[in-house]
């Protein structure tokens, strides 16, 4: 394993965890929270080689859930954020659109994933209460990542 890639993966995993923890706005209906993770999730997906960006995104967000006391969300978060990162990678490789559009499209996977998980936990009404905030969180993160990406791309060429 390449030490440089492993180090970058650990760096991005920490970045994802911190970005998720810095903004922490509770959603009472689902006992979850809004956060700033999507920016770091998309940057991990775009700037790390496959599958390392997916790993950094999924485990970084799940670790934040555990550290913040939302352990019941950690398994779902691991899967949802990994799928979101994988979706971004898939779209970046398959379609020629501005990166911010690709991130915005991939961000739709997150509210869908949490909606399905929260329906199982709390029912449709509670899951619906979190759907719009989750959608806005994803789109905001996509736009911010789209702005930051060109700057960081030159600093983190994929291995």
């Amino acid at each position: 394993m390449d030490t440089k890639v492993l180090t970058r993966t650990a760096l991005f995993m920490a970045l994802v965890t911190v970005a998720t923890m810095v903004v922490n706005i509770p959603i009472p209906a689902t006992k979850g929270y809004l956060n700033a993770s999507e920016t770091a999730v998309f940057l991990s997906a775009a700037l790390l080689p496959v599958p390392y960006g997916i790993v950094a995104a999924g485990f970084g967000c799940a670790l934040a859930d555990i550290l913040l006391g939302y352990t019941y969300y950690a398994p779902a978060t691991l899967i949802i954020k990994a799928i979101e990162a994988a979706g971004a990678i898939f779209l970046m490789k398959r379609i020629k659109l501005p990166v911010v559009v690709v991130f915005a499209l991939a961000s739709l996977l997150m509210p869908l994933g949490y909606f399905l998980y929260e329906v199982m936990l709390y029912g449709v009404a509670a899951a619906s209460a979190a759907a719009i905030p989750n959608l806005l969180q994803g789109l905001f993160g996509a736009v911010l990542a789209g702005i930051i990406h060109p700057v960081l791309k030159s600093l983190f060429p994929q291995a």
Side-chain angles (χ1 to χ4, degrees):
M1 175 169 292
D2 183 3
T3 304
K4 186 185 277 188
V5 172
L6 185 60
T7 303
R8 288 179 180 172
T9 303
L11 172 71
F12 272 94
M13 192 179 303
L15 176 68
V16 170
T17 303
V18 171
T20 304
M21 294 178 73
V22 168
V23 176
N24 179 353
I25 304 167
I27 301 173
T30 61
K31 300 176 186 78
Y33 64 105
L34 289 176
N35 58 70
S37 64
E38 264 58 48
T39 301
V41 164
F42 292 129
L43 292 173
S44 295
L47 299 172
L48 291 173
V50 177
Y52 300 98
I54 296 167
V55 169
F59 280 99
C61 288
L63 179 59
D65 280 352
I66 293 166
L67 293 172
L68 289 169
Y70 297 96
T71 53
Y72 45 90
Y73 272 97
T77 293
L78 173 66
I79 294 165
I80 293 164
K81 299 296 182 152
I83 289 171
E84 184 179 33
I89 292 166
F90 176 82
L91 291 172
M92 282 187 292
K93 292 182 183 292
R94 299 297 189 285
I95 60 175
K96 299 296 179 206
L97 290 172
V99 71
V100 68
V101 174
V102 169
F103 292 162
L105 290 171
S107 77
L108 300 175
L109 296 168
M110 183 268 295
L112 175 63
Y114 280 116
F115 179 79
L116 296 173
Y117 183 67
E118 290 165 347
V119 163
M120 290 188 299
L121 290 179
Y122 307 113
V124 174
S128 296
I132 297 298
N134 282 336
L135 180 65
L136 294 175
Q137 171 184 310
L139 292 174
F140 175 78
V143 170
L144 191 55
I147 293 168
I148 296 170
H149 176 261
V151 175
L152 293 182
K153 188 176 181 180
S154 63
L155 299 174
F156 290 94
Q158 285 198 357

